[in-house]
Amino acid sequence: MQNGSGLNLDYLLGTNQLGSLAGDGRVSGSLLGLIGTLPDPRGVHLSVSQNKELASGVDGWGYSGRLGLLYKITPTTKLGISYMLKSHMNDLKGKGTITAVDGLIGNVPIEGEVRVLDFNTPAKLDVGLSHQVTDKLLVAVDVSRVFWKDAWKDIKVGFSSDVGDVDLRLPQNAKDQTIVAIGASYAATPNLTVRAGYRQATQPFNDEGLLALVPGILRKHASLGFSYQVSKSGRFDAAYSHAFEQSMTNRSAYNTSSPVRSSMSQDNFVLAYNYSF
């Protein structure tokens, strides 16, 4: 299975952050020496983005795959298993700008080529079990394991230009994630089916790996929904899901120049009309 991937990125690194990364061997290149010659260096801004709704500053292609099976244990109980392979992407490439920020002479932009290396999605194992309790009530449980550890150790960015180059590795050190979800659907009438579910996951990212541009993953979700068969061919669907607030704080000098706190919650509403013919 072939995959396409793209990314927009605007990121400011302060001089103290660059110093911490350089001290740990996470940033290198000839542009570091150039920045060091500025009279009052304050930081570096990396921009690789396009101001369009459907466009990426860097993009690339790769491949992945999925295997799965469905087994009917009994006439009313089914077991499903699927495995998504880790993607293998080529380097994401595009045009970008590194701007040295100086307190005395202002901004010094440098145009060049940006590469994002090893930007892969993790492998994932899903196991699900459903049981038709009665003619009207169906319950299901899913357990997933997402193998982030093998896919997201560092965010690797390279920049090259006629003036010089720089390579950057931002630590992530992600952990493998476990997700458990339960749900039920109930046929209240021949035309109306109501649904509810709950999902809880572990957090794969450490506070020290938090980036202002990559917030922590939401861990707890609850959802409600219904389907109404308005005719033989038409069905109206509605759903609402709420992701409970998740907060993380990063005081590490690698990924932020000053302490960063990220708090996020989410509400989703979906309305759909389906017509079969």
Side-chain angles (χ1 to χ4, degrees):
M1 182 172 62
Q2 193 175 48
N3 294 327
S5 182
L7 176 70
N8 289 306
L9 177 65
D10 282 279
Y11 191 46
L12 177 65
L13 298 92
T15 51
N16 59 336
Q17 184 181 357
L18 285 170
S20 297
L21 290 167
D24 200 38
R26 291 185 168 274
V27 60
S28 61
S30 59
L31 283 179
L32 285 180
L34 177 62
I35 295 168
T37 64
L38 297 174
D40 186 21
R42 301 293 180 88
V44 170
H45 181 264
L46 171 64
S47 177
V48 49
S49 60
Q50 294 190 33
N51 189 23
K52 300 177 182 178
E53 292 184 1
L54 297 174
S56 299
V58 291
D59 53 35
W61 291 90
Y63 64 91
S64 180
R66 184 191 295 270
L67 302 171
L69 65 87
L70 181 62
Y71 180 69
K72 184 179 287 187
I73 301 174
T74 71
T76 57
T77 304
K78 296 178 181 178
L79 172 68
I81 301 175
S82 71
Y83 183 76
M84 172 70 80
L85 302 174
K86 175 186 173 182
S87 69
H88 292 271
M89 304 293 300
N90 59 14
D91 294 347
L92 308 184
K93 297 179 180 180
K95 300 294 184 181
T97 304
I98 277 186
T99 302
V101 181
D102 188 87
L104 292 177
I105 65 175
N107 297 335
V108 182
I110 302 170
E111 304 289 335
E113 183 89 14
V114 177
R115 307 178 321 279
V116 179
L117 294 74
D118 302 327
F119 197 73
N120 297 309
T121 55
K124 183 183 179 186
L125 175 65
D126 298 303
V127 179
L129 187 69
S130 67
H131 180 65
Q132 192 75 46
V133 181
T134 67
D135 291 342
K136 295 185 176 182
L137 178 63
L138 174 72
V139 295
V141 59
D142 292 329
V143 178
S144 301
R145 184 71 170 172
V146 186
F147 301 98
W148 288 99
K149 185 177 181 179
D150 183 52
W152 274 57
K153 180 176 176 58
D154 296 308
I155 296 178
K156 304 174 185 177
V157 181
F159 178 85
S160 59
S161 70
D162 295 336
V163 179
D165 57 42
V166 65
D167 292 298
L168 175 69
R169 291 187 296 116
L170 298 172
Q172 290 296 286
N173 297 317
K175 300 173 289 186
D176 292 342
Q177 180 186 37
T178 300
I179 306 168
V180 178
I182 57 174
S185 66
Y186 182 75
T189 71
N191 293 337
L192 176 64
T193 300
V194 295
R195 301 179 181 88
Y198 179 76
R199 175 185 182 273
Q200 184 159 330
T202 58
Q203 177 62 257
F205 297 114
N206 301 306
D207 286 276
E208 293 78 13
L210 175 69
L211 297 171
L213 48 82
V214 183
I217 289 179
L218 295 167
R219 296 181 51 239
K220 301 177 182 180
H221 295 75
S223 60
L224 296 170
F226 70 89
S227 295
Y228 188 79
Q229 198 76 32
V230 295
S231 67
K232 184 178 179 180
S233 302
R235 188 183 77 245
F236 178 76
D237 297 316
Y240 164 72
S241 65
H242 174 72
F244 296 89
E245 184 172 301
Q246 173 72 32
S247 297
M248 298 179 72
T249 301
N250 185 3
R251 296 180 175 86
S252 165
Y254 291 132
N255 287 350
T256 176
S257 297
S258 57
V260 171
R261 179 175 175 81
S262 173
S263 295
M264 182 171 59
S265 62
Q266 187 171 306
D267 293 286
N268 294 323
F269 298 87
V270 178
L271 297 175
Y273 181 78
N274 296 276
Y275 185 82
S276 302
F277 54 90

